Amino acid sequence: MPVMIASFLCGLVFGAGLLISGMTQPEKVLGFLDVFGAWDATLAFVMAGAVAVSAAGFALARRRGGPVLASAYRWPTRTDIDAPLAAGAILFGIGWGLVGLCPGPALVNLAGLSRPILVFVVAMAIGMLFHERYRTLGATRQPAGSAQASSRADG
């Protein structure tokens, strides 16, 4: 239960940050991505602030002996860039550039119950399900002893 409460509170803080920074407004994100047009640089400050806060948080976490609500940290161990990572990054960038939304802001915008956001989130969920199915099938087809089946988050 404490993990669920902490997760909920972290989600609230993250959502509030997205709302306050304007990242939930697709037109603002598209303005940031339009570097050869009417460029809106304000999101660069948001991203710089997020990187600074994250860097400080990771530095503090690495100094601690362990997490408060789990038995151990699960730091990513993979550092290579492979084709699935590159393809995913390209697809994410294309999608973000086309509609100005990424998953976090889309979920925050669900509260508005607008049809385009609902369509976006349903399409995103279907894509996630297809990816998970593809990843699961790939893991079962790999020869025994192969360590490449784990996701990047799993290390």
Side-chain angles (χ1 to χ4, degrees), residues 55-80:
F58 277 104
L60 287 173
R62 288 192 185 277
R63 287 187 190 161
R64 294 182 48 88
V68 175
L69 299 175
S71 59
Y73 288 119
R74 294 179 57 196
W75 302 108
T77 56
R78 288 187 59 183
T79 57
D80 60 319

Side-chain angles (χ1 to χ4, degrees), residues 7 20 24 31 35 39 48 56 74 117 130-131 136 141 145:
S7 298
I20 292 168
T24 56
V35 292
W39 189 46
R74 294 179 57 196
I117 297 296
F130 274 117
H131 173 266
T136 303
R141 290 185 183 159

Side-chain angles (χ1 to χ4, degrees), residues 27-41 97:
E27 59 278 354
K28 189 160 187 71
V29 173
L30 293 174
F32 172 73
L33 297 173
D34 187 12
V35 292
F36 298 113
W39 189 46
D40 180 359

